[in-house]
Amino acid sequence: MRWKTDNLMGWGRALTREAEIARPERLSTLSETIQESPCPAIGNRRSYGDASTAAKAIDFTRLDRFISFDSETGLLEAEAGVTIADILNTFAPKGWMPAVMPGTGFATLGGCIAHDVHGKNHHLSGSFGQHVESLTLMGPEGGSQRISLKSKPKLFRATIGGLGQTGVIVSASIHLAKCPAGKMAVQERRMEDLDAFLEAFNSSRADYQVGWLDMSAKDIHLGRGILEEAHFSSGPFEPPREPRAVPFNAPGFAMSRPIVKAFNWAYTKRVPEAGRDVERPLHKFFFPLDNVHHWNRLYGKRGFHQFQCVLPDDEAPATLALMLEAVVASGLASPLSVLKRLGHGRGGMMSFPMEGFTLALDIVNKPSAKALLARLNELARNAGGRVYLAKDSSLEAGYVADMYPELDDFRAEVQKVDPSGVFETDLVQRLKIRGQA
Amino acid sequence: MSETWIILGATSAMARAFARKLAQNGANLLLAGRDMAELKRIAADCELRGATSASAVAFDARKPAKFEGIIEQATASGGSLNAAVFVGSMPEQSEIDADASLIDGVVQDSFTGAIRFLHTLAPHMEERESGTIVGVGSVAGDRGRVGNYVYGSAKAGFHTYLSGLRNRLARSGAHVVTVKPGFVDTSMTWGIEGMFLVASPDDVAESLIKAVKKKKNVVYTPWFWRYIMLIITHIPEFIFKKLSI
């Protein structure tokens, strides 16, 4: 296998490193590569921080074949490199779709499992890993085993959300959900402040929910934004148009305070005061940013951090207010932040979701970002919340055990299958997730 | 009636991308190559993506005895008969310089094996008075260069054959597209230094589908390689022989 020396970075581009990357196109080359030099697998690199960076990595994007599909039960087996959008585009016309879809269709099947991702329907459908029937896992010696929750409960639960630490996810069987229509009926409502927002979430009965926060609003407007509630409408599925692309890094001022403020003003005001009902094709609703390729370049060369946490219900209102205040005061605010309700569904030991509210926001990678991120991480921990490792670039290693109560079980299981730590990524090393040794 | 396509060298990244696009249009696919396990995976993938049928068949450019059987299998289904040729092999020129016997394999894989197959197929296309052959050559065939002139000369021979076959099949309503890709992001170019303007296999496949639809004769993909090669082929020999591009 030829290895390519290249810069490896997460989607946020704040953490980059030089790495040796192999990209097998055949299954036989994959096991040869692992035997030759075992290392973690990476997908489309849509995690934001350093979850998909390491000194050596196997790029899985060319192992992207569908293997089998049962049109009676909706059980799909595919190689881990297929993307969520590919599954949607291929199976929506037949009436099926991934039961859980993250905010980008570029995420791979393997990545969705390794981060146990969630979508806008988490309160109903749980996390991605809960729809995985079984999967093929390749160990450090290149041998494969098929595991399921039934056959190997501990290893399976360590693999779902397991950051690739139990081995290379080669392929997986997932239960698709029925896709009743190609369009979503979306109701958009303006939310005047944080309390109104949380209240609206708590009383919402919608299948799909997401909130967009205006991060330039202060004082009595703090937490202002738009709540989107959606359900399937009717009409056929339409494949997306060719996306536009951000061709190069935007200059530093592109995300400056006045521009962000103007953008937010326009974004909020496009929804009339009385709210509105719109129809959106599935792609536009589920993957709103995929329409612009390389949108991460808008943050310029220095990149950005994403912070996402979940906070338990009783602590959420007070802690969210503190977080928003800190972010607004910093002036590092991204244009849009996402607020969502999560249910209790989680598929693995290191899964992110817990019942409560989740906040996700982008922070421009300026020197002052460090202090803000530290403050946000601290607030999340003090509230008994959890920071999402798929997004993280700044957590304190000491916080991980507080946030992830099954960490010890996870460590024990990983130690059994990868005693020498060949699958460690930069994230895992930075946060000492495998332990101090 | 859906089209039938024979894809030679179907495990290559470009061929895979092309086969997927044909699958989405409901084609019957015969995926031919040496790695049967891999071909079966590609066939299953194509069927799930909409191919009317997709099967893996054993093909080795160096074993012409098997060619008839593949063509027979392809003619069994009705509709138009088409073929796309992605075969070829390119050992390092330095390896060839050390062992000239490697040349035979390169020429068989990239030229003589492919054209022997096409020559066996051509009468069937004439009989049906339809169908398209997509022959994937290379910009390396436009001018011999110190870095890969054995491969380049085999591809040049292939281009000349395709031009002749196009001339012949035009009389019966069948068509031949000659494709000259520049650098494509495949396992062949992965990690090699000095690559520039690298195209994705998916983009190349899309341009092939368009070329078939529009009955193009010779296409460079991506398109700008036509102009790069125009310059390269016009450098006077007394200068060119001193260059190492």
Side-chain angles (χ1 to χ4, degrees):
Chain A
M1 186 72 209
R2 211 182 295 129
W3 296 75
K4 180 177 178 175
T5 309
D6 206 354
N7 279 329
L8 204 49
M9 61 193 97
W11 187 245
R13 305 164 91 231
L15 304 178
T16 69
R17 65 125 68 220
E18 196 169 85
E20 297 282 310
I21 309 161
R23 191 186 60 191
E25 292 185 343
R26 301 170 192 225
L27 212 54
S28 54
T29 339
L30 171 68
S31 53
E32 283 162 23
T33 308
I34 292 278
Q35 281 162 27
E36 176 192 309
S37 177
C39 60
I42 59 174
N44 253 331
R45 306 167 207 183
R46 254 33 185 209
S47 53
Y48 285 73
D50 50 2
S52 63
T53 70
K56 274 195 153 193
I58 296 176
D59 179 318
F60 234 76
T61 54
R62 290 287 160 94
L63 293 168
D64 63 344
R65 275 82 53 97
F66 296 126
I67 297 168
S68 63
F69 179 66
D70 184 335
S71 56
E72 296 289 308
T73 60
L75 195 66
L76 170 71
E77 165 94 13
E79 289 177 343
V82 298
T83 65
I84 292 299
D86 195 8
I87 299 176
L88 181 67
N89 293 343
T90 307
F91 293 95
K94 301 175 188 174
W96 297 92
M97 66 188 288
V100 169
M101 297 202 287
T104 170
F106 290 109
T108 59
L109 173 60
C112 287
I113 295 171
H115 291 300
D116 195 16
V117 300
H118 57 270
K120 298 180 172 87
N121 57 348
H122 184 264
H123 58 295
L124 284 183
S125 302
S127 66
F128 193 91
Q130 294 180 290
H131 303 272
V132 177
E133 205 267 339
S134 57
L135 56 87
T136 300
L137 197 61
M138 191 176 276
E141 271 94 47
S144 293
Q145 58 173 326
R146 188 76 181 175
I147 61 167
S148 68
L149 189 57
K150 252 189 199 154
S151 73
K152 290 255 170 121
K154 277 191 179 166
L155 181 57
F156 188 79
R157 289 197 66 246
T159 302
I160 304 291
L163 306 162
Q165 297 307 295
T166 56
V168 172
I169 300 166
V170 181
S171 60
S173 258
I174 58 170
H175 291 283
L176 297 188
K178 286 265 194 245
C179 177
K183 293 205 168 55
M184 303 297 289
V186 186
Q187 188 188 49
E188 296 177 324
R189 278 190 287 154
R190 282 200 205 174
M191 298 287 128
E192 292 314 323
D193 57 26
L194 187 60
D195 287 341
F197 226 137
L198 299 181
E199 180 54 42
F201 266 120
N202 284 334
S203 57
S204 172
R205 296 279 164 271
D207 297 349
Y208 294 86
Q209 311 170 348
V210 61
W212 304 99
L213 284 172
D214 173 355
M215 296 306 281
S216 56
K218 307 186 200 186
D219 306 326
I220 57 158
H221 301 298
L222 194 76
R224 175 174 74 185
I226 295 165
L227 174 67
E228 287 186 12
E229 297 170 278
H231 56 84
F232 282 96
S233 144
S234 55
F237 175 78
E238 287 163 26
R241 281 178 303 144
E242 273 294 297
R244 283 163 295 176
V246 178
F248 42 74
N249 287 326
F253 61 79
M255 287 288 176
S256 65
R257 209 184 274 233
I259 291 189
V260 166
K261 216 169 169 178
F263 175 86
N264 280 344
W265 182 83
Y267 196 88
T268 318
K269 296 298 171 193
R270 87 206 147 92
V271 175
E273 241 165 281
R276 65 172 181 180
D277 292 303
V278 287
E279 272 215 336
R280 293 224 173 92
L282 298 192
H283 267 267
K284 246 185 148 172
F285 177 73
F286 286 103
F287 317 132
L289 293 174
D290 284 3
N291 206 20
V292 185
H293 258 191
H294 304 298
W295 64 261
N296 52 352
R297 290 178 180 160
L298 287 173
Y299 286 92
K301 213 174 138 188
R302 63 197 162 199
F304 65 100
H305 301 274
Q306 184 165 83
F307 170 81
Q308 181 169 2
C309 69
V310 57
L311 303 165
D313 276 327
D314 45 343
E315 298 288 340
T319 304
L320 281 171
L322 289 174
M323 285 180 170
L324 294 185
E325 273 163 22
V327 174
V328 171
S330 75
L332 298 168
S334 55
L336 289 177
S337 299
V338 175
L339 182 66
K340 252 186 325 214
R341 248 217 93 79
L342 289 185
H344 54 76
R346 56 206 309 266
M349 298 171 176
M350 295 295 283
S351 294
F352 167 68
M354 68 161 78
E355 181 108 46
F357 283 94
T358 176
L359 172 72
L361 48 96
D362 296 346
I363 295 163
V364 185
N365 184 25
K366 285 188 184 168
S368 50
K370 216 174 157 186
L372 174 63
L373 284 161
R375 171 87 179 124
L376 295 173
N377 288 328
E378 193 191 5
L379 283 169
R381 188 200 55 166
N382 293 348
R386 194 173 284 154
V387 163
Y388 197 1
L389 299 176
K391 311 283 181 85
D392 179 63
S393 55
S394 67
L395 197 61
E396 294 259 342
Y399 288 3
V400 179
D402 299 338
M403 294 180 167
Y404 290 86
E406 291 180 85
L407 182 64
D408 285 339
D409 294 343
F410 176 71
R411 281 179 178 166
E413 204 53 37
V414 169
Q415 193 58 29
K416 276 191 244 168
V417 284
D418 178 26
S420 44
V422 298
F423 296 124
E424 284 185 18
T425 57
D426 289 342
L427 172 100
V428 168
Q429 287 177 355
R430 177 169 58 83
L431 298 182
K432 302 188 171 64
I433 287 174
R434 298 278 300 262
Q436 297 293 343
Chain B
M1 189 69 71
S2 32
E3 300 180 331
T4 296
W5 279 85
I6 306 169
I7 315 274
L8 299 186
T11 54
S12 84
M14 256 189 283
R16 267 166 60 176
F18 185 62
R20 273 188 181 178
K21 295 200 185 279
L22 295 171
Q24 281 158 5
N25 296 330
N28 291 300
L29 296 172
L30 282 182
L31 303 161
R34 281 175 302 178
D35 187 340
M36 283 307 280
E38 194 61 20
L39 289 168
K40 281 181 185 157
R41 270 182 114 78
I42 298 167
D45 179 64
C46 285
E47 280 193 340
L48 289 168
R49 287 172 193 275
T52 302
S53 72
S55 39
V57 290
F59 167 85
D60 185 336
R62 304 183 192 185
K63 292 180 183 140
K66 296 251 178 81
F67 293 178
E68 283 281 4
I70 299 171
I71 291 167
E72 217 165 275
Q73 201 177 332
T75 50
S77 52
S80 75
L81 191 56
N82 308 270
V85 181
F86 292 90
V87 290
S89 62
M90 186 175 72
E92 292 284 331
Q93 185 70 41
S94 57
E95 289 171 38
I96 298 177
D97 294 345
D99 179 5
S101 70
L102 288 175
I103 290 176
D104 296 352
V106 176
V107 173
Q108 276 180 307
D109 293 340
S110 314
F111 179 31
T112 53
I115 74 167
R116 185 146 167 199
F117 185 90
L118 293 180
H119 222 69
T120 318
L121 178 69
H124 297 277
M125 296 179 66
E126 285 176 318
E127 195 182 304
R128 295 184 184 208
E129 297 181 335
S130 66
T132 302
I133 288 170
V134 174
V136 177
S138 169
V139 293
D142 280 5
R143 192 162 193 180
R145 294 179 298 110
V146 67
N148 62 357
Y149 59 97
V150 170
Y151 172 76
S153 58
K155 284 295 188 185
F158 187 50
H159 296 162
T160 307
Y161 174 83
L162 291 173
S163 153
L165 186 63
R166 176 162 44 243
N167 198 188
R168 168 181 163 186
L169 291 184
R171 287 145 221 270
S172 58
H175 184 61
V176 176
V177 185
T178 305
V179 184
K180 299 182 184 179
F183 296 139
V184 186
D185 186 15
T186 67
S187 58
M188 234 163 134
T189 56
W190 179 256
I192 290 184
E193 277 178 42
M195 292 286 141
F196 56 93
L197 302 170
V198 180
S200 77
D202 202 53
D203 288 345
V204 169
E206 189 58 46
S207 69
L208 298 194
I209 295 281
K210 278 190 191 143
V212 169
K213 241 181 230 162
K214 293 186 181 166
K215 287 191 179 276
K216 295 273 188 191
N217 298 312
V218 179
V219 293
Y220 286 79
T221 174
W223 57 271
F224 50 77
W225 278 92
R226 181 181 293 275
Y227 302 97
I228 295 176
M229 293 320 292
L230 190 72
I231 295 166
I232 289 179
T233 52
H234 280 80
I235 299 172
E237 195 64 29
F238 70 90
I239 298 174
F240 192 80
K241 70 182 178 189
K242 291 179 185 149
L243 301 178
S244 43
I245 50 174

